[in-house]
Amino acid sequence: MLDHQGWKSRAAGLSFRNKAFIDGRFVDAASGRVFDSINPATGEVLAQVAECDAEDIDRAVAAGRRAFEDGRWSRMAPGARKAVMLKLADLIRANLEEMALLDSLDMGKLVTDAATIDAPGSAHFFQWYGEAIDKIYDEVAPTGPGDLALVRRVPLGVVGAVVPWNFPLDMATWKAAAALAAGNSVVLKPAEQSPLSALRLAELAAEAGVPDGVFNVVPGFGATAGRALGLHMDVDCLAFTGSTATGKLFMQYSGQSNLKQVWPETGGKSPNIIFADCEDLDAAAEMAAFGIFFNQGEVCSANSRLYVERSVKDRLVEKLIARAAAMQPGDPLDPASRMGAIVDEKQTQGIMRFVEAGKQTANLVAGGERVTVAGKGCFVQPTIFDDVRHGDPLARDEIFGPVLSVIAFDSEDEAVRMANDSIYGLAASVWTDNLSRACRVSERLHVGTVSVNTVDALSAQTPFGGMKQSGFGRDLSLHSLEKYTALKTVWIKYRT
């Protein structure tokens, strides 16, 4: 791992891919327009990126359709597709420092996190889905003599993917790896705040042997490029991770166009419930801090609501305050930093509006200020509010920043009731040494993932997604292949 100066020197030598990647080559937006990709830690413009719109989406979808129909990828032998996916995983690993830097510079995350979690994770997921390609079997239905009924799982065609800025490389991978493994063509629109790693990923995919037209990356804004992808009559499926409001728009776009499948993974306000029978409060505090301050709190499943049994609340809050004090933001390229920059000025101001309002309604015990590093940047201190009312916006709304709300409870029923009293249902955590309670509470929580005695547990082997207004899309695991494929019955009559 590089030191601070090493990362800065490596960053200074980077070149950025700033054009759309359509049909196997980098091209300007049809309009010629560009937008600035800005480093939120410094305010400096990293690159001017092609600002694509509907015409560019049309070009990318047409390229994806041609590739799908002629079978250059969709009908490639499973073992051959697998080999390409594995090579792409190796290329990500070979360029790991560059991929980590692109995400760190583009959206402000700690480069050490990007280098040890995000980029290796992206490589792992491409490898995992590549390995799965030749291990998925079709079915033979039970029939009488003279009939052979095959149930086949077939690719859909052209998959549109719209991904967020908080994990630019990982979220692109979560969608693209599964969709490509299933044999589809992909048109990816990265978030306008963080397009750089997706464009480099497209170049690596081509180097790995993904045929022209199969993987296209079209940067641009949601209201133009994203909307055009959602309304496109020749897109068969749209996978989305982002806000609940935008997820609802994509559902509307489907009804206004060709009834394409839409798989939304949207907002969250995840509860973290700590019972007094959890003996290791230090571990609970450590993971509670990680669950809200990791990635500057810009995590859809961030454990932003902390419910603590009243008898241990004050002890736990003291431990949290100490951990927040040790996690002050710093230069994202410095391995000594414990928290990075907020993605942009708009998001920073939005977080601070919640913080300033919270100072009037709850007890601020840590942080609460916007700061700079070397006089620059979008940084917010790790912030903790105690004695938050359950109905306060601090405890209801998705802040998407390093802001924790602490709420006391007196009984298991009260904790579960408050945890479930949310429009969101993405994830939850439970801390207890009582196995019966762990199982009982996990069953009662209306969320997609319950982590017991840890936070935000996930892996390639388990599905990730939510309930209620957190959407119903599922990433990861073999189950994610289901949303990028269709079941086709082939019924054959034969002479007996």
Side-chain angles (χ1 to χ4, degrees), residues 301-333:
S301 53
N303 286 222
S304 53
R305 291 186 287 152
L306 182 60
Y307 298 101
V308 189
E309 195 160 356
R310 195 175 303 276
S311 62
V312 298
K313 181 182 77 71
D314 289 346
R315 287 168 54 205
L316 187 80
V317 169
E318 287 180 7
K319 296 177 184 295
L320 284 169
I321 292 171
R323 283 162 174 78
M327 297 182 71
Q328 297 304 305
D331 182 352
L333 298 185

Side-chain angles (χ1 to χ4, degrees), residues 26-88:
F26 285 108
V27 295
D28 292 321
S31 67
R33 290 194 297 268
V34 296
F35 64 92
D36 290 340
S37 180
I38 297 173
N39 181 346
T42 64
E44 297 170 355
V45 175
L46 296 167
Q48 291 191 313
V49 179
E51 183 185 331
C52 297
D53 55 25
E55 184 175 350
D56 305 290
I57 293 293
D58 285 343
R59 288 193 291 164
V61 172
R65 179 61 62 190
R66 286 193 301 272
F68 181 77
E69 294 297 340
D70 68 25
R72 67 187 77 165
W73 181 255
S74 58
R75 293 195 294 275
M76 183 184 288
R81 283 210 314 274
K82 169 183 171 179
V84 173
M85 297 275 284
L86 295 182
K87 185 174 181 181
L88 177 52

